[in-house]
Amino acid sequence: MGTLEVMEAMGANEAVRAWVDGWVVSRGAAPPAVEPWGYTIDVGLAKHPSRHVFGLPQGGVQEADVRKVAASVSGADIWLKVFAEPSRVMPWLGPEWWVDPEEGYLMTVALSPVAPDRLVAPEGYRLRTWTRGGVVRTMVTAADGSWAARGQMAPTGRTAVADQIETSPEHRRRGLGSLVMRTLQAAAAEQGCEVGVLAGTVEGRALYEALGWRVVAPLTSARRKGPDES
């Protein structure tokens, strides 16, 4: 089966699992605990101790599952990741939850080699790529050494997850985000990965779609408020 066929054969729930597996590697989080409705991940940060990621079976995310899990959470700064539109998820959660009104997206792409001349930084910039702990990281710096763009990719076998893709506001619209993504995709393809997966924002969607990524599902992020938050 070719790479395109592999991507087309990947169901939405498989894409969610691939994202979960790659995200924990990228962030150094604990291995995901499989739940009847999805996954629980211990992240280990003061403002992000853990998160619950809901699966996306053929019937779609289930309201009853989201309500049940949300009701069981009492700790501050625990996150929910639900693959449905914010307008749909908001009524399922109580006032103790902050819901990001901006929709996110689960996206995939078929990975393939990239021509070397497409992996060259523009004049005045420097591109550096390295691997640490199994995660490929790439950074673009300006002529004075300041940070201009970055990103990382976590290969996990057949799939690889792109994460923390950022471009400095001072250096946007110069092709640096595309350069970072092409570099990461090329590195993952060289390691034998066939499908790239990421969770993108509205702002990043245009960049990713221009590079061949496609939306698999919408994504809502919600955080349990702390006691001092109204």
Side-chain angles (χ1 to χ4, degrees):
M1 183 180 292
T3 300
L4 284 172
E5 288 80 4
V6 169
M7 190 180 77
E8 290 171 357
M10 175 181 285
N13 206 38
E14 289 181 274
V16 171
R17 180 61 201 247
W19 178 62
V20 166
D21 287 342
W23 190 91
V24 300
V25 172
S26 177
R27 301 295 180 97
V34 179
E35 310 280 5
W37 41 263
Y39 312 92
T40 294
I41 302 169
D42 288 329
V43 182
L45 299 177
K47 289 296 183 180
H48 192 165
S50 62
R51 60 168 48 188
H52 301 301
V53 181
F54 291 84
L56 195 57
Q58 189 171 7
V61 64
Q62 299 298 304
E63 176 182 350
D65 291 337
V66 177
R67 287 184 178 274
K68 181 177 180 179
V69 173
S72 72
V73 174
S74 57
D77 298 317
I78 294 174
W79 286 78
L80 303 181
K81 297 290 181 174
V82 185
F83 292 97
E85 299 85 354
S87 60
R88 183 182 174 201
V89 176
M90 283 181 184
W92 301 348
L93 305 177
E96 66 275 13
W97 288 92
W98 171 82
V99 179
D100 190 342
E102 183 174 282
E103 185 172 278
Y105 306 96
L106 181 68
M107 306 182 74
T108 61
V109 72
L111 297 173
S112 58
V114 179
D117 62 354
R118 303 205 69 204
L119 304 176
V120 178
E123 184 176 354
Y125 291 95
R126 174 176 178 259
L127 173 69
R128 185 184 180 195
T129 302
W130 67 98
T131 301
R132 180 63 61 88
V135 180
V136 180
R137 305 174 192 272
T138 191
M139 178 178 68
V140 181
T141 53
D144 62 0
S146 60
W147 168 76
R150 73 167 307 279
Q152 57 199 58
M153 181 81 89
T156 54
R158 187 180 69 168
T159 57
V161 170
D163 188 27
Q164 296 189 317
I165 312 300
E166 303 175 77
T167 301
S168 169
E170 294 80 9
H171 298 278
R172 290 176 181 170
R173 301 189 181 280
R174 302 181 189 180
L176 302 183
S178 296
L179 173 63
V180 165
M181 290 302 297
R182 287 196 300 268
T183 301
L184 294 174
Q185 291 174 210
E190 287 178 3
Q191 295 191 32
C193 301
E194 299 177 301
V195 179
V197 185
L198 62 76
T201 62
V202 170
E203 185 178 9
R205 178 176 175 175
L207 165 65
Y208 304 136
E209 287 185 328
L211 295 171
W213 293 73
R214 65 179 182 88
V215 173
V216 174
L219 171 61
T220 295
S221 297
R223 176 183 60 84
R224 183 62 157 78
K225 297 177 183 177
D228 299 329
E229 296 180 84
S230 57

